[in-house]
Amino acid sequence: MQAVVRMLMCRRWYLKIRQAVCILQTRYRAYHKGLLVQSQYKQLKDSAIVIQYSYRAYLVRKQALARHAAALVIQTLSKGYLARKQYLQLKKSTLLIQAVYRGQRSRRMAARCHTAATLIQSVFRSHCTRHRYIKMKNSTCVIQCHWRNWKSSGRLRDEYERLQEATVFVQSLIRGNRVRKSFQRQSDAIRTMQAVCRGYIARCTYKKLQNEKNRQNQAAIKIQALCKAYIARMKYLQTYEAAITIQQWYKANRIGHTQYLLYHIMRGAALVIQSYYRSHLIRRQYLIKMGAAMTIQATFRGWRQRVVYGQQRQAILCIQSAVKEWLAMRQEKEANRQIYVAEFSLKIQNNLHLIKIQRVFRNYLIRMVAQERILSVKVIQRWMRCRLDRMKFLKLCLSVRILQKSARKHLEKRHLAANVIQSAARKYLSHVHAKKWVKSVSKVQALWRGYLLRRRTKNKKLTMVRTRIESANRNASENQKLCNRTTSALDYLLKLKNMSDILQALINLEVTTRLSSRCCEHIVENNAVDTLFVLVRSCNRSLPHMELIKYTISILLNLVKYEKTRQSVYESDKMTETLLELMTVYRDKGSDIFIKACMLLTILAQENPRKQEMLSAPKLPEKLRSLHTLLQRKQNVKERQWITKTKMASYNTGVRSLDTLNLTPDWMLQKKKSISEPLHAVTVLMGVLDLTYK
């Protein structure tokens, strides 16, 4: 009974304290909201005063700026008039000087052009006659060579056909015998290998299955022990964490209360400091604004200065009185607030003592109920452990059965795969063996044919060539090899800046790219194509630079003729623009450069996507048509001069078709028909690009 009575008394006391705390909280929240509303009102009032001040200053500045702009307009007009007057005088004097100087310069240039034109005409006429003579000589040599070859080819063809039939019959007999013997050996070896492999695989699988069964039993025992230990640890950790959380909550509550009190004390002090600092800032801003207003007012009339100054003085006095009243009210509120905080802290301490008593009583009740329920929990745990062990055992049995089925399927698949691999390997080995025999027989045939031809031919030129090749191979050194010449030339080209060294390097690269495909790939791998284009763009029309351009264009032409290096030349920066520029610059002076540039573009335009990209380039078709018209015009003039001189009206310089050209590399050793005229090269290029003439 006493306990019940005490409990009722404590409950009534607790309810009274709780009601008082709720009232205190509502009052405190209302007071806090009032402070916020009051601060917002003061901020709005200060912002309105600042806006008024800034607007009045804006009006004054606007008037001052208008007057300043008017003064600037007057000054600019006067200065512009004076400057125009001086400029017209200077312009008259400079025009007189320029007219005199240009007349003298034009007369000198006319005299120079006349002398240069006479020299060019004489050199060009001699070059045309020399070129025609060389062309006639070459054509006669070609006709003589073809006639001699046709006479000597009939006898050699009959002997070659007889030897070919005999060697084919012998080869078929030897190949059949060797293939049958090799097939028998391979089949016997593969059968023995299959028997050994199958026995070894069966023994390994049996041992693996036994080991896996023993491991699974040991793993099941270990898993059961670990599960029991894990459940016990989890229970202990749960109780330990609950005790730690209760302790932490109690400590945090005490620390929070002390921090709360300190926060309110510090907040009050901060508010006082902020109020004093804000009043100081207001006074400082006001003084700055007052000084600015005084300087602006000094420019206006006296009566307006006195009126504005009086208005500002009245505003300052009002602000000062308002600030002083606000400070007095603030001090009174701070004193009342400290008294309220002390009373509130005493009430909170009493409330905390009551909370501690309630907590101890509740913990006692919880411990009593927990002791009653522990027994029932232990029984449930034992039953659950047995159930879980049973489920794990059944799962292990199912997994073992599944593993056995999968292992059997895997072994069957493996056996089938081994059979397939063996059959494929037999086919591959027989194919490789047959290829080797074909290569060896073709080599023997080629060596025998070469030997017979060398024995039968008794030409002095061929013997001289053979002896020269043999002597060159004997006397060859490491520096004369194509690969070493390519690497040294690339080093000179990429590092040195002397013109003679660069020219020697370009000559070596032209030889190596003409004779070896590996050297072409080596140049592309070292990124030398872009440097070649940069070198071409940096040259002028002098004779040494023309030599450099000629060798670089021939190197690029050799790279383009090879399929693996063709794309790298096409992908270089500004390729078509540089080639078109070379064609326009050297169409009269350097015909070799012009022809090689045209050939380079024709080889690149053989494929449709590249052709479309070239046609989409700006001004390419127009430039080609203009070049064709210029060259056609010059060719017509040459024909007329030739007809008048030699009186040969039947002279015809028709353009050949694209079928006569050979666009393969030089190391392919095919008969070549080169282009010797710029007009021929331009027409071939326009035919490849499907462009019409003007």
Side-chain angles (χ1 to χ4, degrees):
M1 288 291 287
Q2 287 177 359
V4 172
V5 170
R6 285 172 187 167
M7 185 183 73
L8 289 169
M9 289 174 73
C10 290
R11 187 168 181 78
R12 286 175 185 173
W13 176 252
Y14 170 72
L15 291 169
K16 286 179 183 179
I17 289 168
R18 187 179 178 187
Q19 190 176 3
V21 169
C22 292
I23 291 163
L24 287 169
Q25 286 176 353
T26 53
R27 294 287 177 84
Y28 177 75
R29 287 169 185 165
Y31 173 74
H32 190 62
K33 286 181 181 178
L35 288 174
L36 288 171
V37 171
Q38 192 175 2
S39 64
Q40 289 176 359
Y41 170 73
K42 287 179 182 177
Q43 287 177 0
L44 288 169
K45 188 177 179 182
D46 294 332
S47 61
I49 290 163
V50 171
I51 290 161
Q52 289 175 0
Y53 174 76
S54 61
Y55 181 72
R56 288 168 186 167
Y58 169 73
L59 291 173
V60 173
R61 283 195 298 275
K62 192 174 181 181
Q63 291 177 1
L65 288 169
R67 290 180 181 178
H68 186 66
L72 285 172
V73 169
I74 293 162
Q75 288 176 359
T76 51
L77 290 171
S78 62
K79 289 176 182 176
Y81 174 74
L82 294 171
R84 280 194 295 277
K85 197 172 182 181
Q86 291 178 359
Y87 172 73
L88 290 170
Q89 290 176 359
L90 288 169
K91 188 177 179 182
K92 287 179 182 178
S93 60
T94 52
L95 286 170
L96 285 170
I97 294 162
Q98 285 176 358
V100 173
Y101 177 73
R102 285 171 183 166
Q104 290 179 357
R105 193 175 65 180
S106 61
R107 284 190 290 276
R108 287 177 188 171
M109 289 293 290
R112 287 179 188 172
C113 290
H114 184 70
T115 56
T118 54
L119 280 170
I120 289 163
Q121 285 175 0
S122 63
V123 172
F124 184 74
R125 286 165 186 165
S126 64
H127 173 72
C128 289
T129 54
R130 201 181 302 114
H131 186 67
R132 284 168 190 156
Y133 172 74
I134 291 164
K135 194 173 178 183
M136 293 288 286
K137 187 178 178 181
N138 290 329
S139 61
T140 54
C141 291
V142 169
I143 291 162
Q144 288 173 1
C145 290
H146 280 292
W147 173 253
R148 288 167 186 162
N149 288 327
W150 182 73
K151 286 183 78 176
S152 63
S153 63
R155 290 173 291 171
L156 294 171
R157 196 179 295 111
D158 296 328
E159 291 177 359
Y160 173 74
E161 287 176 355
R162 287 180 209 154
L163 286 169
Q164 190 176 9
E165 289 175 357
T167 51
V168 168
F169 181 74
V170 173
Q171 285 174 3
S172 62
L173 293 173
I174 291 165
R175 284 175 188 167
N177 190 9
R178 288 186 178 178
V179 167
R180 283 192 291 275
K181 286 181 181 179
S182 64
F183 178 75
Q184 287 178 1
R185 288 174 192 166
Q186 287 176 2
S187 62
D188 294 331
I190 289 163
R191 283 169 190 163
T192 54
M193 286 286 288
Q194 284 178 354
V196 172
C197 290
R198 286 169 185 167
Y200 178 74
I201 290 162
R203 286 192 294 275
C204 290
T205 51
Y206 180 73
K207 287 180 182 179
K208 283 181 182 178
L209 289 171
Q210 282 185 349
N211 292 325
E212 285 178 358
K213 190 173 183 181
N214 294 324
R215 285 175 190 169
Q216 286 172 2
N217 291 326
Q218 290 176 1
I221 293 162
K222 283 184 181 179
I223 290 162
Q224 288 175 0
L226 290 170
C227 289
K228 291 174 183 177
Y230 175 75
I231 292 163
R233 275 198 303 275
M234 290 298 291
K235 285 180 182 178
Y236 173 73
L237 289 171
Q238 285 175 2
T239 54
Y240 182 73
E241 286 176 358
I244 287 166
T245 50
I246 291 162
Q247 289 175 0
Q248 287 176 355
W249 181 80
Y250 178 71
K251 290 175 183 177
N253 195 0
R254 287 187 69 187
I255 291 162
H257 177 64
T258 55
Q259 291 292 328
Y260 182 76
L261 294 173
L262 288 170
Y263 169 74
H264 280 287
I265 293 162
M266 293 294 288
R267 189 169 180 273
L271 289 170
V272 172
I273 292 161
Q274 286 175 359
S275 63
Y276 280 110
Y277 182 71
R278 285 170 185 165
S279 63
H280 174 68
L281 287 174
I282 290 164
R283 283 195 295 275
R284 191 175 176 185
Q285 289 176 1
Y286 172 71
L287 290 170
I288 293 163
K289 292 175 183 178
M290 187 176 175
M294 293 284 287
T295 54
I296 294 165
Q297 289 169 1
T299 57
F300 292 97
R301 296 174 183 176
W303 67 270
R304 199 162 183 180
Q305 276 185 350
R306 287 192 295 274
V307 172
V308 172
Y309 177 74
Q311 289 177 359
Q312 287 182 353
R313 189 175 179 185
Q314 287 177 2
I316 290 160
L317 291 170
C318 291
I319 290 163
Q320 287 178 352
S321 62
V323 169
K324 288 174 182 177
E325 289 176 1
W326 181 75
L327 288 171
M329 289 172 69
R330 186 70 180 170
Q331 289 176 358
E332 289 178 1
K333 285 180 181 178
E334 287 295 328
N336 293 325
R337 194 158 177 274
Q338 288 177 359
I339 294 163
Y340 172 73
V341 168
E343 291 176 356
F344 185 71
S345 63
L346 288 170
K347 289 178 182 178
I348 287 169
Q349 285 179 0
N350 293 325
N351 195 4
L352 286 170
H353 290 304
L354 290 170
I355 289 165
K356 284 179 185 178
I357 293 162
Q358 288 176 358
R359 192 180 295 131
V360 171
F361 182 70
R362 285 170 186 165
N363 289 329
Y364 174 73
L365 291 173
I366 288 163
R367 282 196 297 274
M368 293 296 289
V369 172
Q371 286 178 2
E372 290 177 357
R373 292 181 180 177
I374 281 167
L375 293 170
S376 60
V377 170
K378 285 180 180 179
V379 173
I380 292 163
Q381 284 177 355
R382 286 171 189 167
W383 182 79
M384 283 298 292
R385 284 171 188 165
C386 294
R387 184 74 177 168
L388 288 169
D389 292 335
R390 179 75 177 164
M391 293 294 287
K392 286 178 183 177
F393 178 72
L394 292 171
K395 284 180 182 178
L396 283 170
C397 291
L398 286 170
S399 63
V400 168
R401 289 171 187 169
I402 291 163
L403 284 169
Q404 287 175 355
K405 288 180 182 178
S406 63
R408 288 167 189 161
K409 288 179 181 178
H410 178 69
L411 288 171
E412 289 176 358
K413 288 179 182 178
R414 213 167 154 193
H415 184 66
L416 291 169
N419 289 328
V420 172
I421 290 162
Q422 286 173 2
S423 61
R426 287 169 194 160
K427 289 179 182 178
Y428 175 73
L429 289 170
S430 62
H431 184 65
V432 168
H433 195 66
K435 272 189 175 181
K436 284 181 181 178
W437 274 106
V438 169
K439 284 182 181 179
S440 61
V441 171
S442 60
K443 274 188 180 181
V444 171
Q445 286 179 355
L447 291 169
W448 179 249
R449 288 168 190 162
Y451 173 72
L452 288 174
L453 283 171
R454 285 193 296 275
R455 194 172 176 184
R456 286 170 186 170
T457 55
K458 295 180 181 180
N459 195 356
K460 291 182 179 180
K461 289 183 179 180
L462 288 174
T463 54
M464 288 289 288
V465 168
R466 195 179 299 123
T467 53
R468 285 174 66 188
I469 290 166
E470 289 175 357
S471 65
N473 288 324
R474 282 197 302 273
N475 298 322
S477 62
E478 289 292 327
N479 294 324
Q480 292 177 353
K481 287 185 178 180
L482 292 176
C483 58
N484 294 325
R485 287 176 72 182
T486 305
T487 53
S488 63
L490 284 172
D491 291 333
Y492 289 157
L493 183 64
L494 296 172
K495 293 178 182 178
L496 298 177
K497 294 184 180 179
N498 192 6
M499 189 176 286
S500 61
D501 295 332
I502 292 168
L503 183 61
Q504 189 62 38
L506 289 172
I507 291 165
N508 289 327
L509 286 175
E510 196 272 332
V511 172
T512 54
T513 53
R514 184 159 42 83
L515 299 176
S516 174
S517 62
R518 186 70 190 89
C519 295
C520 296
E521 293 175 1
H522 187 56
I523 289 167
V524 172
E525 287 171 0
N526 288 319
N527 296 321
V529 179
D530 294 328
T531 55
L532 290 171
F533 276 107
V534 170
L535 182 64
V536 169
R537 285 193 287 271
S538 63
C539 292
N540 53 22
R541 294 184 67 182
S542 62
L543 289 173
H545 285 216
M546 282 178 69
E547 288 292 322
L548 291 175
I549 292 167
K550 184 172 75 174
Y551 283 112
T552 51
I553 291 293
S554 60
I555 291 163
L556 292 171
L557 188 62
N558 293 328
L559 292 174
V560 166
K561 285 180 180 179
Y562 186 40
E563 291 181 356
K564 292 184 180 179
T565 58
R566 190 176 295 168
Q567 188 64 28
S568 61
V569 176
Y570 181 73
E571 290 175 355
S572 61
D573 191 15
K574 296 180 181 179
M575 187 270 300
T576 54
E577 288 83 355
T578 42
L579 292 175
L580 283 171
E581 188 176 357
L582 288 173
M583 289 167 68
T584 53
V585 170
Y586 296 104
R587 69 174 184 270
D588 298 327
K589 191 174 180 181
S591 60
D592 293 335
I593 297 168
F594 183 85
I595 291 164
K596 287 178 181 178
C598 289
M599 287 295 292
L600 206 148
L601 286 173
T602 53
I603 293 167
L604 289 173
Q606 293 295 319
E607 295 182 2
N608 285 323
R610 290 178 190 156
K611 187 200 290 188
Q612 296 298 325
E613 288 180 4
M614 285 183 183
L615 290 171
S616 64
K619 298 181 180 179
L620 189 139
E622 295 177 1
K623 286 185 179 180
L624 289 175
R625 288 191 183 102
S626 63
L627 288 169
H628 184 267
T629 53
L630 286 170
L631 293 170
Q632 186 68 42
R633 199 178 297 155
K634 288 182 181 180
Q635 188 68 25
N636 292 329
V637 170
K638 286 181 186 178
E639 287 178 1
R640 287 171 197 158
Q641 290 177 358
W642 180 259
I643 290 166
T644 54
K645 285 182 180 180
T646 59
K647 295 181 181 180
M648 291 174 67
S650 63
Y651 178 72
N652 187 14
T653 58
V655 177
R656 304 181 192 90
S657 63
L658 184 64
D659 297 332
T660 60
L661 294 175
N662 188 10
L663 305 178
T664 55
D666 291 340
W667 62 79
M668 299 295 287
L669 298 176
Q670 293 182 0
K671 292 181 181 179
K672 297 175 173 34
K673 293 183 180 180
S674 61
I675 297 171
S676 60
E677 295 177 0
L679 182 62
H680 182 195
V682 173
T683 51
V684 168
L685 178 58
M686 292 179 72
V688 171
L689 293 172
D690 298 330
L691 294 174
T692 57
Y693 309 135
K694 283 187 180 181

